[in-house]
Amino acid sequence: MLTATRQAKILERVRAGGEVRVEDLAVHFGVSPSTIRRDLNSLDADGLLRRVRGGGSVEADRVPFRDVAAHQSEEKAAVAERAAELVADGDVVLIDIGTTTALLAERLRGRRITVITASLAVIDALRDDDLVELIVLGGALRKNYYSMVGALTEQALAQIRATICFLGTSGVRADGSIADTTGMEVPVKRAMIASSQRVVVLADRAKFPGTGLLGVCGPEELSTVVTNSGADRATCDRLQQADVEVLFA
């Protein structure tokens, strides 16, 4: 594989997941870790990612929502379809930011439910639906990722109680914990967990096992994980050992 081609594929992976590790990339591309380090250093010098110890990362706000949405689109759509089956009429549904959760919102149109969200993509999907009661959380706008975050968002979440919440994630780690790459999103996710009776994580198979700079929660705080067939078996087994329901789309 040409160096330019490999670096393009590395950049695609880091933009999709937010973070990559040298060892993982070396195995994936069948090259030495030193070759991967040179690739990451080159991409860092070009301003395309941020070199960190052991790998590379990209600030989530630098990746447009539409670009993230295009990655693993069929797998994400299947996960959203399966997740929609978990919602019952009358539920109070808390929906996280993210591309898969936005696809879920589209599949909840026409349902007699209440949806609470800080995602502009979810709002766009449901704002003209006469049956869905839509409640919008306030906060500071992350324009590039169509979401609201911050103290106002967290304070609003503390006032509600949802029947079920759907979380997005940067990755599901091998130990079953949930990770994210954006520091400002993590407190909002934790507030969503605290405000919900049932916590469901939506993660396409590319996020198994996944990485992330920051931990959101352990498997003991989850009820269900929805993913695709072919997701890393060991990680799924770890979730099930922690009494987490794993559903395959």
Side-chain angles (χ1 to χ4, degrees):
M1 182 183 293
L2 296 174
T3 298
T5 301
R6 185 176 59 250
Q7 289 183 1
K9 290 184 178 297
I10 289 172
L11 191 58
E12 180 181 320
R13 289 173 68 89
V14 76
R15 282 177 170 169
E19 180 188 63
V20 291
R21 298 187 183 280
V22 169
E23 293 80 4
D24 295 340
L25 291 175
V27 171
H28 179 78
F29 290 108
V31 297
S32 68
S34 61
T35 296
I36 295 298
R37 291 188 188 96
R38 286 194 295 270
D39 288 338
L40 293 174
N41 288 338
S42 176
L43 291 167
D44 178 75
D46 291 339
L48 297 173
L49 57 70
R50 178 166 57 91
R51 187 75 166 90
V52 297
R53 183 178 178 84
S57 69
V58 63
E59 295 296 332
D61 280 350
R62 293 182 62 184
V63 186
F65 185 91
R66 62 182 178 274
D67 290 352
V68 180
H71 185 75
Q72 301 288 121
S73 57
E74 292 184 7
E75 288 84 354
K76 291 176 180 179
V79 168
E81 191 75 38
R82 183 69 178 88
E85 298 173 7
L86 303 178
V87 178
D89 287 350
D91 275 351
V92 177
V93 185
L94 188 53
I95 302 183
D96 194 9
I97 66 100
T99 55
T100 309
T101 51
L103 292 172
L104 166 66
E106 294 174 2
R107 286 153 177 80
L108 295 178
R109 289 180 58 84
R111 301 287 299 276
R112 293 188 179 278
I113 57 175
T114 298
V115 171
I116 305 171
T117 190
S119 165
L120 299 188
V122 172
I123 295 167
D124 282 344
L126 297 174
R127 62 184 177 181
D128 63 345
D129 192 299
D130 292 334
L131 293 181
V132 175
E133 180 181 2
L134 183 60
I135 299 175
V136 179
L137 299 167
L141 179 63
R142 286 177 62 205
K143 295 180 181 179
N144 209 31
Y145 209 63
Y146 303 172
S147 66
M148 288 172 280
V149 296
L152 290 176
T153 315
E154 296 164 42
Q155 289 169 11
L157 284 166
Q159 306 303 313
I160 66 171
R161 188 64 176 168
T163 311
I164 187 170
C165 87
F166 293 96
L167 287 181
T169 180
S170 297
V172 182
R173 292 172 175 164
D175 64 357
S177 61
I178 304 303
D180 202 85
T181 58
T182 309
M184 66 184 69
E185 293 287 357
V186 171
V188 175
K189 291 178 186 292
R190 290 175 177 166
M192 290 179 65
I193 292 169
S195 298
S196 304
Q197 296 175 20
R198 183 180 183 186
V199 178
V200 180
V201 170
L202 307 186
D204 63 76
R205 62 183 175 183
K207 297 180 178 179
F208 280 75
T211 59
L213 298 176
L214 301 166
V216 175
C217 69
E220 67 280 355
E221 296 188 71
L222 307 178
S223 304
T224 305
V225 171
V226 184
T227 187
N228 309 106
S229 299
D232 181 69
R233 186 69 256 176
T235 307
C236 292
D237 288 345
R238 177 65 186 88
L239 287 165
Q240 291 172 328
Q241 290 166 8
D243 294 326
V244 179
E245 178 185 35
V246 179
L247 301 178
F248 297 99

